[in-house]
Amino acid sequence: MSDNKSLKAELRTEDFGSAGARRLLRAKRIPAVIYGKNAPVHIILDSREFTNKMRHFSETALLKITVGKKQYECLMKDYQENLMIGEIKHVDFFEVTRGQALRTLVSLILKGNPVGTKEGGVLDQVMHEVEIECLPKDLPAALEADVSAMKINQSLHLKDVVIPAGVKVLDDLSKTVASVKGVKAETAAVVEEVVEAVAPAEPTKDAKAKK
C-alpha cells in the first residue's frame, strides 16, 4: 500500500468531549474514530500528516491506519472542517474486513469525446455515482464509461458500462449515465421553460365574474 494511503495514530483513552477536542486541535492533532463491526476505536491523528495526505484519499481509497502495534484497513467516510481557517476538526473512518463484502458509492467518470459533440451535440452526464458491492481487494477507485461512440440523441445506460471482475452493481442497470443532446433540442427546451415561467396565470372564476 502506498505511503500516501497510510496514517499513524495514537489511541485516545481520555480527555473526551468538546474541551478535549479543542485542546487536541490547539496541539496540532485531530480527534478521530474508527467504526466497524466491533466497538468504536477513538484515535488521535497528526494534523500535518493528515492534511498533507488527505488529497490522496477518496471514499473508495483503502487506508492503513497504524495504532501502536495494531493496523486497521479503513475507508474515510466523513470529516468535519472549519472552512474559515482551513482546519480539520474530526475524522470518521470505517474499518473493512478482508474477505467480507462491503457496499459503497464510487464515482462514474466519462472517458472519450463523443462523435455527437463533433456534430454540434452537447454531452450531458446524468449519473455521477453508483452503489456497488465487492470485497475490499476488488474495490475500484471509480468506474469509467466510454462515451466515444455516442451520437446525437443517443444515451449510455448503466448496463453499458464495463464493470470490473468481482464488482456487483446495486443500482438499476437501466438508468441513464449520459446522453448527447442536439443543441436545437436543448435550446427549445430552455425557451419553453422560460415561456412557461413568464406566461400570465389563467384567470380564476372570481376574476372572470368581476369582468
Side-chain angles (χ1 to χ4, degrees):
M1 184 176 288
S2 167
D3 184 59
N4 287 327
K5 303 290 178 63
S6 301
L7 292 168
K8 291 184 179 180
E10 300 174 32
L11 191 63
R12 185 183 182 190
T13 58
E14 58 183 7
D15 201 17
F16 292 99
S18 56
R22 286 194 295 270
R23 279 189 282 271
L24 286 174
L25 294 172
R26 283 197 296 269
K28 302 301 179 184
R29 301 198 293 171
I30 304 171
V33 63
I34 299 174
Y35 294 103
K37 63 180 182 179
N38 300 313
V41 179
H42 296 272
I43 59 174
I44 302 169
L45 303 170
D46 178 79
S47 179
R48 178 177 295 180
E49 180 189 24
F50 182 81
T51 303
N52 288 340
K53 293 181 176 181
M54 72 174 293
R55 62 189 176 90
H56 300 285
F57 302 166
S58 67
E59 285 193 359
T60 57
L62 275 177
L63 311 175
K64 182 176 71 176
I65 302 178
T66 302
V67 186
K69 295 182 179 180
K70 191 167 183 179
Q71 291 185 341
Y72 300 85
E73 275 196 315
C74 303
L75 299 174
M76 184 176 73
K77 300 305 293 183
D78 195 15
Y79 65 89
Q80 298 172 21
E81 182 179 12
N82 184 334
L83 296 175
M84 296 293 292
I85 59 176
E87 177 185 67
I88 304 298
K89 299 172 60 179
H90 191 274
V91 188
D92 289 345
F93 297 99
F94 176 76
E95 183 185 7
V96 301
T97 304
R98 285 197 173 273
Q100 182 175 317
L102 60 89
R103 292 185 177 189
T104 188
L105 291 172
V106 295
S107 298
L108 273 169
I109 298 176
L110 303 185
K111 293 290 185 179
N113 188 17
V115 174
T117 60
K118 300 173 184 177
E119 301 169 347
V122 176
L123 176 64
D124 179 29
Q125 183 170 357
V126 181
M127 284 188 72
H128 295 270
E129 290 183 323
V130 59
E131 186 177 15
I132 63 168
E133 181 179 82
C134 64
L135 295 174
K137 67 181 183 67
D138 297 323
L139 185 62
L143 295 183
E144 295 184 354
D146 187 0
V147 296
S148 303
M150 291 178 63
K151 299 178 181 179
I152 290 180
N153 297 325
Q154 282 191 337
S155 297
L156 182 80
H157 299 92
L158 195 52
K159 64 183 178 182
D160 303 317
V161 178
V162 177
I163 308 300
V167 176
K168 179 182 178 182
V169 173
L170 301 179
D171 274 307
D172 184 354
L173 294 178
S174 67
K175 284 185 176 179
T176 300
V177 173
S179 62
V180 176
K181 299 178 180 179
V183 175
K184 291 182 179 179
E186 188 77 12
T187 303
V190 172
V191 170
E192 185 177 347
E193 288 180 4
V194 172
V195 169
E196 289 180 355
V198 300
E202 184 71 22
T204 63
K205 293 182 179 180
D206 291 341
K208 291 179 180 179
K210 289 180 180 179
K211 290 182 178 181

